[in-house]
Amino acid sequence: MNDFMKYDFNIEKILLACYVGKGRGMKVHRNRSSYGLALHTSGVKVYLFDDGKKITVNPNEIIYLPKHSTYEVYAEINGDCFAINFDISEEKSFAPFAIKIKNANSVSEHFKNAENIWWKKSYGYITKCKAELYQIIYTMQQEYFSEYISNNKLDIISPAVEYIHNEYTHKLISIENLADMCAITPEYFRKIFKSYYGISPLKYINELKISHAKELLESGMYSVTDAAFQSGYTDMSYFSREFKKKTGISPSNYR
């Protein structure tokens, strides 16, 4: 579950967004063709995977179903669920898991919206379905990591996090300055930050810069040099290395 929650998802395709009523749905699934998330709104179901792993899913829980997984579903208590099947830009292997959702009403609305939009198929429905799925995953990640760090500690680093998001494209940000904003040592700042975000502060900043550069290049309105400078890079060689490390291709080829 930890790997799933830390992953930076790039949704490539929505294959299905649906509602599965009580007593409906396939019992046996072999070599799933896509990744899946299902929110169970009632009943109790048991998922038995071919490797022997058993997951019991209760109301207001989301189960993640890996691509290529094989499993059987048994209803201990008949209930219904909403499901979204999707593909991402690269093949990833996350173990199946179930997670209890605290903000169940909000997440349920996102699943319902995706299902409704999918079947209506009006203009832009794919984009809207992706947006609903991103919001679902975002909520899962936020709730998951909130269990690993107290609200008090999040409050401690919040001034630095806000500063990062406001200034990362046009200021050189040091860990020492961020720690000073929070009145803590750099070592303690790194520890709190990584425990919540799953990566170091510097890597987090660099990923923000690369994501911004990707958006500028995708627009077709900026040269590689302009995209680099407007994303906070002053060294083109360093920018090219970091960009290729993150995306697998050079900035010019990406553009």
mmCIF file of all heavy atoms in Angstrom, residues 227-246:
data_model
loop_
_atom_site.group_PDB
_atom_site.id
_atom_site.type_symbol
_atom_site.label_atom_id
_atom_site.label_comp_id
_atom_site.label_asym_id
_atom_site.label_seq_id
_atom_site.Cartn_x
_atom_site.Cartn_y
_atom_site.Cartn_z
ATOM 1 N N ALA A 227 11.392 26.978 -20.958
ATOM 2 C CA ALA A 227 10.717 26.091 -20.005
ATOM 3 C C ALA A 227 11.602 25.830 -18.799
ATOM 4 O O ALA A 227 11.122 25.791 -17.658
ATOM 5 C CB ALA A 227 10.331 24.772 -20.679
ATOM 6 N N ALA A 228 12.900 25.660 -19.039
ATOM 7 C CA ALA A 228 13.838 25.415 -17.941
ATOM 8 C C ALA A 228 13.920 26.622 -17.012
ATOM 9 O O ALA A 228 13.776 26.492 -15.785
ATOM 10 C CB ALA A 228 15.221 25.084 -18.500
ATOM 11 N N PHE A 229 14.128 27.808 -17.590
ATOM 12 C CA PHE A 229 14.268 29.020 -16.773
ATOM 13 C C PHE A 229 12.980 29.334 -16.007
ATOM 14 O O PHE A 229 13.026 29.713 -14.833
ATOM 15 C CB PHE A 229 14.667 30.199 -17.651
ATOM 16 C CG PHE A 229 16.091 30.134 -18.136
ATOM 17 C CD1 PHE A 229 16.473 30.741 -19.320
ATOM 18 C CD2 PHE A 229 17.063 29.454 -17.411
ATOM 19 C CE1 PHE A 229 17.788 30.686 -19.775
ATOM 20 C CE2 PHE A 229 18.374 29.380 -17.853
ATOM 21 C CZ PHE A 229 18.746 29.994 -19.041
ATOM 22 N N GLN A 230 11.842 29.170 -16.661
ATOM 23 C CA GLN A 230 10.571 29.486 -16.000
ATOM 24 C C GLN A 230 10.186 28.437 -14.955
ATOM 25 O O GLN A 230 9.265 28.660 -14.171
ATOM 26 C CB GLN A 230 9.459 29.630 -17.039
ATOM 27 C CG GLN A 230 9.638 30.837 -17.935
ATOM 28 C CD GLN A 230 8.342 31.300 -18.567
ATOM 29 O OE1 GLN A 230 7.274 31.178 -17.985
ATOM 30 N NE2 GLN A 230 8.439 31.860 -19.759
ATOM 31 N N SER A 231 10.884 27.318 -14.938
ATOM 32 C CA SER A 231 10.640 26.285 -13.929
ATOM 33 C C SER A 231 11.660 26.343 -12.794
ATOM 34 O O SER A 231 11.643 25.498 -11.906
ATOM 35 C CB SER A 231 10.670 24.898 -14.581
ATOM 36 O OG SER A 231 9.688 24.795 -15.577
ATOM 37 N N GLY A 232 12.543 27.335 -12.860
ATOM 38 C CA GLY A 232 13.471 27.535 -11.751
ATOM 39 C C GLY A 232 14.862 26.990 -11.971
ATOM 40 O O GLY A 232 15.674 26.964 -11.027
ATOM 41 N N TYR A 233 15.192 26.564 -13.190
ATOM 42 C CA TYR A 233 16.532 26.041 -13.485
ATOM 43 C C TYR A 233 17.385 27.116 -14.163
ATOM 44 O O TYR A 233 16.910 27.817 -15.060
ATOM 45 C CB TYR A 233 16.451 24.823 -14.407
ATOM 46 C CG TYR A 233 15.846 23.599 -13.758
ATOM 47 C CD1 TYR A 233 14.494 23.305 -13.936
ATOM 48 C CD2 TYR A 233 16.616 22.747 -12.970
ATOM 49 C CE1 TYR A 233 13.926 22.188 -13.343
ATOM 50 C CE2 TYR A 233 16.064 21.631 -12.378
ATOM 51 C CZ TYR A 233 14.714 21.351 -12.561
ATOM 52 O OH TYR A 233 14.162 20.248 -11.966
ATOM 53 N N THR A 234 18.650 27.216 -13.754
ATOM 54 C CA THR A 234 19.581 28.149 -14.383
ATOM 55 C C THR A 234 20.686 27.408 -15.125
ATOM 56 O O THR A 234 21.410 28.016 -15.915
ATOM 57 C CB THR A 234 20.214 29.073 -13.329
ATOM 58 O OG1 THR A 234 20.844 28.273 -12.314
ATOM 59 C CG2 THR A 234 19.149 29.952 -12.680
ATOM 60 N N ASP A 235 20.815 26.123 -14.875
ATOM 61 C CA ASP A 235 21.835 25.289 -15.515
ATOM 62 C C ASP A 235 21.136 24.334 -16.479
ATOM 63 O O ASP A 235 20.452 23.411 -16.058
ATOM 64 C CB ASP A 235 22.619 24.519 -14.451
ATOM 65 C CG ASP A 235 23.782 23.720 -15.021
ATOM 66 O OD1 ASP A 235 23.671 23.245 -16.172
ATOM 67 O OD2 ASP A 235 24.779 23.539 -14.308
ATOM 68 N N MET A 236 21.305 24.555 -17.786
ATOM 69 C CA MET A 236 20.602 23.746 -18.782
ATOM 70 C C MET A 236 21.047 22.289 -18.767
ATOM 71 O O MET A 236 20.249 21.386 -18.995
ATOM 72 C CB MET A 236 20.814 24.342 -20.177
ATOM 73 C CG MET A 236 20.031 25.622 -20.420
ATOM 74 S SD MET A 236 18.251 25.370 -20.235
ATOM 75 C CE MET A 236 17.941 24.149 -21.521
ATOM 76 N N SER A 237 22.316 22.039 -18.514
ATOM 77 C CA SER A 237 22.816 20.657 -18.479
ATOM 78 C C SER A 237 22.167 19.894 -17.322
ATOM 79 O O SER A 237 21.733 18.751 -17.479
ATOM 80 C CB SER A 237 24.337 20.635 -18.332
ATOM 81 O OG SER A 237 24.949 21.202 -19.460
ATOM 82 N N TYR A 238 22.100 20.559 -16.174
ATOM 83 C CA TYR A 238 21.479 19.931 -15.012
ATOM 84 C C TYR A 238 19.987 19.686 -15.265
ATOM 85 O O TYR A 238 19.452 18.618 -14.948
ATOM 86 C CB TYR A 238 21.664 20.816 -13.779
ATOM 87 C CG TYR A 238 21.011 20.277 -12.532
ATOM 88 C CD1 TYR A 238 21.507 19.144 -11.902
ATOM 89 C CD2 TYR A 238 19.891 20.898 -11.981
ATOM 90 C CE1 TYR A 238 20.910 18.636 -10.759
ATOM 91 C CE2 TYR A 238 19.292 20.407 -10.842
ATOM 92 C CZ TYR A 238 19.803 19.273 -10.238
ATOM 93 O OH TYR A 238 19.195 18.773 -9.118
ATOM 94 N N PHE A 239 19.332 20.687 -15.854
ATOM 95 C CA PHE A 239 17.905 20.533 -16.181
ATOM 96 C C PHE A 239 17.678 19.338 -17.103
ATOM 97 O O PHE A 239 16.787 18.521 -16.877
ATOM 98 C CB PHE A 239 17.376 21.804 -16.846
ATOM 99 C CG PHE A 239 16.028 21.635 -17.484
ATOM 100 C CD1 PHE A 239 14.892 21.413 -16.715
ATOM 101 C CD2 PHE A 239 15.879 21.696 -18.869
ATOM 102 C CE1 PHE A 239 13.639 21.249 -17.300
ATOM 103 C CE2 PHE A 239 14.642 21.538 -19.468
ATOM 104 C CZ PHE A 239 13.522 21.309 -18.683
ATOM 105 N N SER A 240 18.490 19.213 -18.142
ATOM 106 C CA SER A 240 18.325 18.117 -19.103
ATOM 107 C C SER A 240 18.519 16.758 -18.437
ATOM 108 O O SER A 240 17.777 15.812 -18.701
ATOM 109 C CB SER A 240 19.313 18.278 -20.258
ATOM 110 O OG SER A 240 19.020 19.447 -20.999
ATOM 111 N N ARG A 241 19.535 16.678 -17.557
ATOM 112 C CA ARG A 241 19.782 15.406 -16.855
ATOM 113 C C ARG A 241 18.606 15.041 -15.951
ATOM 114 O O ARG A 241 18.139 13.888 -15.938
ATOM 115 C CB ARG A 241 21.061 15.495 -16.024
ATOM 116 C CG ARG A 241 22.345 15.500 -16.835
ATOM 117 C CD ARG A 241 23.531 15.186 -15.945
ATOM 118 N NE ARG A 241 23.651 16.110 -14.830
ATOM 119 C CZ ARG A 241 24.309 17.269 -14.868
ATOM 120 N NH1 ARG A 241 24.893 17.643 -16.008
ATOM 121 N NH2 ARG A 241 24.388 18.045 -13.802
ATOM 122 N N GLU A 242 18.134 16.014 -15.187
ATOM 123 C CA GLU A 242 17.031 15.747 -14.257
ATOM 124 C C GLU A 242 15.745 15.427 -15.003
ATOM 125 O O GLU A 242 14.965 14.565 -14.588
ATOM 126 C CB GLU A 242 16.823 16.949 -13.331
ATOM 127 C CG GLU A 242 17.937 17.154 -12.340
ATOM 128 C CD GLU A 242 18.105 15.971 -11.417
ATOM 129 O OE1 GLU A 242 17.116 15.550 -10.793
ATOM 130 O OE2 GLU A 242 19.235 15.446 -11.321
ATOM 131 N N PHE A 243 15.511 16.125 -16.103
ATOM 132 C CA PHE A 243 14.298 15.890 -16.892
ATOM 133 C C PHE A 243 14.303 14.477 -17.468
ATOM 134 O O PHE A 243 13.302 13.753 -17.376
ATOM 135 C CB PHE A 243 14.199 16.918 -18.022
ATOM 136 C CG PHE A 243 12.856 16.941 -18.705
ATOM 137 C CD1 PHE A 243 11.884 17.838 -18.309
ATOM 138 C CD2 PHE A 243 12.554 16.058 -19.738
ATOM 139 C CE1 PHE A 243 10.637 17.869 -18.913
ATOM 140 C CE2 PHE A 243 11.319 16.072 -20.351
ATOM 141 C CZ PHE A 243 10.353 16.978 -19.939
ATOM 142 N N LYS A 244 15.435 14.076 -18.027
ATOM 143 C CA LYS A 244 15.520 12.736 -18.615
ATOM 144 C C LYS A 244 15.431 11.661 -17.543
ATOM 145 O O LYS A 244 14.842 10.605 -17.759
ATOM 146 C CB LYS A 244 16.816 12.590 -19.408
ATOM 147 C CG LYS A 244 16.875 11.301 -20.219
ATOM 148 C CD LYS A 244 18.040 11.290 -21.185
ATOM 149 C CE LYS A 244 17.998 10.022 -22.047
ATOM 150 N NZ LYS A 244 19.114 10.000 -23.025
ATOM 151 N N LYS A 245 16.005 11.933 -16.371
ATOM 152 C CA LYS A 245 15.942 10.976 -15.267
ATOM 153 C C LYS A 245 14.483 10.739 -14.842
ATOM 154 O O LYS A 245 14.085 9.629 -14.521
ATOM 155 C CB LYS A 245 16.736 11.507 -14.075
ATOM 156 C CG LYS A 245 16.880 10.526 -12.919
ATOM 157 C CD LYS A 245 17.493 11.189 -11.696
ATOM 158 C CE LYS A 245 18.850 11.763 -11.976
ATOM 159 N NZ LYS A 245 19.460 12.374 -10.764
ATOM 160 N N LYS A 246 13.686 11.806 -14.873
ATOM 161 C CA LYS A 246 12.291 11.716 -14.437
ATOM 162 C C LYS A 246 11.379 11.158 -15.512
ATOM 163 O O LYS A 246 10.471 10.364 -15.228
ATOM 164 C CB LYS A 246 11.801 13.114 -14.028
ATOM 165 C CG LYS A 246 10.362 13.172 -13.550
ATOM 166 C CD LYS A 246 10.169 12.445 -12.246
ATOM 167 C CE LYS A 246 8.724 12.584 -11.753
ATOM 168 N NZ LYS A 246 8.484 11.780 -10.550
#
